[in-house]
Amino acid sequence: MAPRKLAAGNWKMNGDLAALAEVDRLLDAHPEPGCEVLLCPPALLIHPMVGKSRGGVLAVGGQDCHAKASGAHTGDISAVQLRDAGAEYVIVGHSERRADHAEDDAAVSAKAVAAHQAGIVSIICVGETEAQRDSGQTLAVIGAQIAASVPDCATAENTVIAYEPVWAIGTGRTPTNDQIAEVHALIRNDLVARFGDGAGFRILYGGSVKPSNAVEIFAIQNVDGALVGGASLKADDFGAIVAALSAA
Ligand code: PGA
């Protein structure tokens, strides 16, 4: 069975209680989407957003979790707590976390394990910098990140991969279709080689996905959806991306 395509939105450090009105607008316009729809708001908005999910039409997720279930870690949130608030997913290893909080592949893998133990699906992010792409290291960098960030307990059910070139995030620039296809094929092959059932993993593209390029990106082989930042904040834009994925 083909995996269900996933339109995932990452609100990052944007949005407030008033912004939850966008969820109503999104679900009014797309009451029965033809793909899975996920929003990952700031942690404070997870619980109220779950209250607007209309019985699970919308899935809600966190943007990060700690590797431990509880303890003396001021300011952190555990996957268990995310689950308790109603989250079904958590993004781990986003390039902004890797850069701002010095998270390495081992830390990302530990967070993914914590998510799986809590019963949450991890969305594990990988991506090359512009300097790495310019120097021809993209495939080596992505291969190494997949090898070290994806834990042995990963399955097609508990793990989603997001390929997000760092230089494409928030810049309006995207790789060519061939470049996206090349990296997604590498990730697919690595997952099949390691897990056997790797064909079932969903692999998202992320980085400046918007209504105007979504149709084209969703037609690329091995692209099973998108992780969307800026364009997920407005119901009209994200709704157009949901519609494009539903029709792909
Ligand atoms: P963007 O962000 O869509 O604003 O480029 C993507 C992401 O960081 O997940």
Side-chain angles (χ1 to χ4, degrees):
M1 195 184 75
R4 196 150 188 239
K5 301 203 166 187
L6 176 62
N10 172 12
W11 279 14
K12 307 191 180 184
M13 199 169 69
N14 299 296
D16 52 18
L17 289 169
L20 293 174
E22 292 298 313
V23 175
D24 294 325
R25 295 184 59 222
L26 176 71
L27 298 182
D28 284 347
H30 303 276
E32 292 180 22
C35 64
E36 200 171 347
V37 182
L38 164 69
L39 281 175
C40 300
L44 287 168
L45 299 181
I46 290 174
H47 193 57
M49 190 180 279
V50 169
K52 290 183 166 291
S53 65
R54 302 192 189 177
V57 175
L58 174 77
V60 181
Q63 299 175 7
D64 176 54
C65 67
H66 196 277
K68 299 251 173 63
S70 65
H73 301 286
T74 302
D76 280 312
I77 295 173
S78 75
V80 174
Q81 292 170 316
L82 291 174
R83 177 70 253 182
D84 184 53
E88 296 177 68
Y89 286 82
V90 62
I91 299 167
V92 295
H94 189 283
S95 62
E96 288 153 15
R97 297 287 317 176
R98 291 179 186 257
D100 293 354
H101 300 272
E103 294 181 5
D104 60 12
D105 289 328
V108 174
S109 176
K111 287 168 186 253
V113 171
H116 303 164
Q117 287 172 344
I120 295 186
V121 177
S122 62
I123 300 178
I124 302 175
C125 301
V126 297
E128 82 285 2
T129 63
E130 186 155 33
Q132 288 166 335
R133 177 161 285 278
D134 288 347
S135 58
Q137 297 175 69
T138 298
L139 296 184
V141 166
I142 302 300
Q145 288 180 341
I146 290 290
S149 299
V150 179
D152 289 337
C153 62
T155 68
E157 286 70 41
N158 68 21
T159 302
V160 174
I161 307 295
Y163 167 53
E164 299 205 304
V166 177
W167 53 272
I169 293 174
T171 61
R173 298 164 57 207
T174 53
T176 66
N177 294 349
D178 285 349
Q179 287 172 331
I180 295 174
E182 182 182 40
V183 173
H184 279 238
L186 169 94
I187 294 170
R188 178 76 67 211
N189 289 341
D190 285 0
L191 294 173
V192 169
R194 181 165 162 201
F195 296 103
D197 69 344
F201 281 82
R202 290 177 291 182
I203 307 174
L204 312 182
Y205 168 76
S208 295
V209 176
K210 40 190 187 268
S212 59
N213 61 19
V215 171
E216 196 182 336
I217 288 171
F218 294 147
I220 299 170
Q221 197 173 15
N222 285 312
V223 173
D224 303 308
L227 182 54
V228 184
S232 73
L233 293 168
K234 290 287 167 224
D236 289 350
D237 288 345
F238 195 51
I241 292 167
V242 167
L245 186 60
S246 299

